[in-house]
Amino acid sequence: MSLIDKTLALLGLGQDVPVWPPDRLSLALQGGGSFGAFTWGVLDRLLEEPDISFDAISGASAGSVNAVLMASGMIENGPDGARARLSQFWGRIGRTSAFLPTSALLGAGLELVVRTMSPYQFNPFNVNPLSEALAAEVDFERLRERSAIKLLLAVTRVRDGKLRILTNAELTLDAVLASACLPLLHHAIELDGEPYWDGGYAANPPLVPLVRASTAAQILIVQVTPSTAERMPSSPREIARRIEQIQFNATLNSELEALKAGKMIGATSKLRRLRIGLISAAEEFEGLSDESAGNVGREFLDRLHQSGRAAADLWLKRGLPAAAGTRD
C-alpha cells in the first residue's frame, strides 16, 4: 500500500459517500508531461456521467492544461464541449512536440545539449509548441469571464521557490505556460514582473488550496507521476527519471500529511465530512515508471487515454453502494 493510500485510509477519506456517483465533484490534477493524456481519459469518462457537476479543479503543469481545456469546453457546449476540446488538443499534441522533457525521445545528442546548455542558449527565441496549441483551443478572455468551474493553477516563483495559485480572474495563456514551464527546456514565464517555472515543483497538484476553495464533499486526485519504481534505477537516465518522479510526488505527499494532521486534531467539520478519492496512472498503466513523459507519439497517447477512461470507470463502479446500484 502506497503512502497516499495509507494516508487516505487513516483519514477515512476515500470511503463511499451516501450518494454515488457524487453529484458534485472537485478535481486535483497532477502534472507529468505527456502522461497528462491519462488524465484526459479520466476526464473523458467522468464527463459522460450526466449527474456529476464540477465545482473546482486544481492543477500543475499538464494538470493545469487539462483543467483549462475542460473548463473552456464546458463554456462552449457543456460536457460534450469539454470532451471535444480535450480530444482536439491531445490530437494536436500527437502531431507536435509540445511536451519534451529530456528523454530517449530526444536522442542522445539533443539530451546532451539540454544537460550542458540553458534554454536561453539552445532556444534563444523561446519556441514552445504548447503555446500555439493552447492559443488555438482556448479563448482565455471568455474563460476568465464565464467559467462556472473554479480553477486553481500552480506556478513556482523562481526567486524564492514559493507556490503561487492563479485563479480564474488571472488566467491567461502565459499563466498556463508558466504552470507548465520546464526550466531546462523553456525560458521562465514572467507574470506581473516575476519569473515563474513549472508549478509541479511547489504543488503537484495543489491539494490544500483546493480543499479550502471547494464546496464539494468529494475530491478526486488524478496522479500521473509514478510513486514507486518497479526496479532499482542504475543508468544515469533511469536515476534522473526516478529523482524527478520523487520530486514531483513529494509535494502531494506533504499536503496529504497536512490534511491527515488536520483530521487528527479534529479540524473543521468541512474536513471531517470530506472524502478524497485517488486514481493512479501507474496502477492502471503497466510499466509507466519506465516510460518517458516526453513521448508524444499518437499510439502512446491513445493508450494512456484508454487507460484513464478504464480507471475512471472502475472508480465510479467501486463507489456504488453495496445494497443498490442506483443513486439514493
Side-chain angles (χ1 to χ4, degrees):
M1 181 180 286
S2 70
L3 173 61
I4 290 177
D5 292 330
K6 290 177 181 177
T7 302
L8 298 180
L10 280 169
L11 284 170
L13 305 177
Q15 299 172 4
D16 294 340
V17 292
V19 175
W20 198 266
D23 53 5
R24 196 154 180 80
L25 179 65
S26 288
L27 301 167
L29 308 181
Q30 194 180 50
S34 63
F35 294 173
F38 178 89
T39 303
W40 162 36
V42 171
L43 299 178
D44 194 39
R45 176 63 185 89
L46 293 176
L47 287 161
E48 290 179 341
E49 290 295 313
D51 295 322
I52 295 181
S53 64
F54 298 92
D55 177 47
I57 307 176
S58 71
S61 197
S64 293
V65 172
N66 278 318
V68 164
L69 290 165
M70 177 175 162
S72 176
M74 290 287 283
I75 295 171
E76 298 294 333
N77 192 27
D80 289 341
R83 294 183 66 210
R85 188 62 51 84
L86 285 158
S87 179
Q88 288 166 193
F89 173 84
W90 284 101
R92 187 185 296 268
I93 292 303
R95 298 187 295 272
T96 61
S97 302
F99 297 107
L100 288 175
T102 56
S103 68
L105 179 69
L106 298 175
L110 187 51
E111 183 173 342
L112 179 61
V113 170
V114 171
R115 290 184 180 278
T116 57
M117 299 175 66
S118 84
Y120 300 91
Q121 295 170 305
F122 70 78
N123 186 10
F125 298 106
N126 200 25
V127 175
N128 186 350
L130 177 59
S131 177
E132 181 180 345
L134 279 171
E137 298 294 344
V138 179
D139 182 337
F140 282 93
E141 182 177 0
R142 196 172 191 189
L143 180 67
R144 289 191 297 273
E145 294 175 352
R146 296 186 54 184
S147 177
I149 298 174
K150 291 171 282 190
L151 298 172
L152 301 91
L153 308 189
V155 292
T156 303
R157 192 160 57 199
V158 177
R159 175 169 52 86
D160 55 12
K162 289 188 177 179
L163 170 69
R164 176 178 172 183
I165 296 293
L166 302 173
T167 56
N168 295 50
E170 303 169 284
L171 297 187
T172 62
L173 175 59
D174 277 350
V176 184
L177 292 177
S179 186
C181 178
L182 293 169
L184 293 177
L185 290 172
H186 301 296
H187 300 197
I189 302 295
E190 284 200 6
L191 303 174
D192 305 321
E194 281 272 7
Y196 289 89
W197 282 338
D198 194 299
Y201 294 111
N204 195 21
L207 188 54
V208 171
L210 178 66
V211 169
R212 293 192 183 115
S214 174
T215 59
Q218 177 82 37
I219 288 176
L220 174 62
I221 303 168
V222 183
Q223 181 185 25
V224 298
T225 299
S227 58
T228 59
E230 295 181 6
R231 63 177 183 274
M232 177 65 192
S234 57
S235 73
R237 183 175 295 166
E238 289 172 343
I239 292 170
R241 179 187 296 151
R242 185 62 192 140
I243 289 172
E244 184 177 83
Q245 291 169 354
I246 292 170
Q247 287 177 330
F248 278 133
N249 278 315
T251 56
L252 176 58
N253 291 334
S254 295
E255 290 198 85
L256 282 166
E257 287 291 345
L259 289 176
K260 181 176 74 173
K263 186 79 169 185
M264 292 298 188
I265 62 175
T268 66
S269 59
K270 176 181 178 180
L271 181 57
R272 289 194 296 270
R273 292 193 304 269
L274 185 65
R275 296 293 179 265
I276 298 180
L278 171 72
I279 293 177
S280 168
E283 293 181 4
E284 306 297 333
F285 192 99
E286 187 176 356
L288 186 66
S289 62
D290 294 325
E291 296 285 353
S292 165
N295 183 351
V296 293
R298 185 68 213 189
E299 188 270 340
F300 181 62
L301 297 181
D302 285 344
R303 285 171 55 212
L304 283 165
H305 170 253
Q306 290 302 317
S307 183
R309 279 188 57 86
D313 190 64
L314 184 60
W315 182 75
L316 289 167
K317 289 176 179 176
R318 280 177 175 167
L320 288 171
T326 58
R327 294 169 59 89
D328 291 348

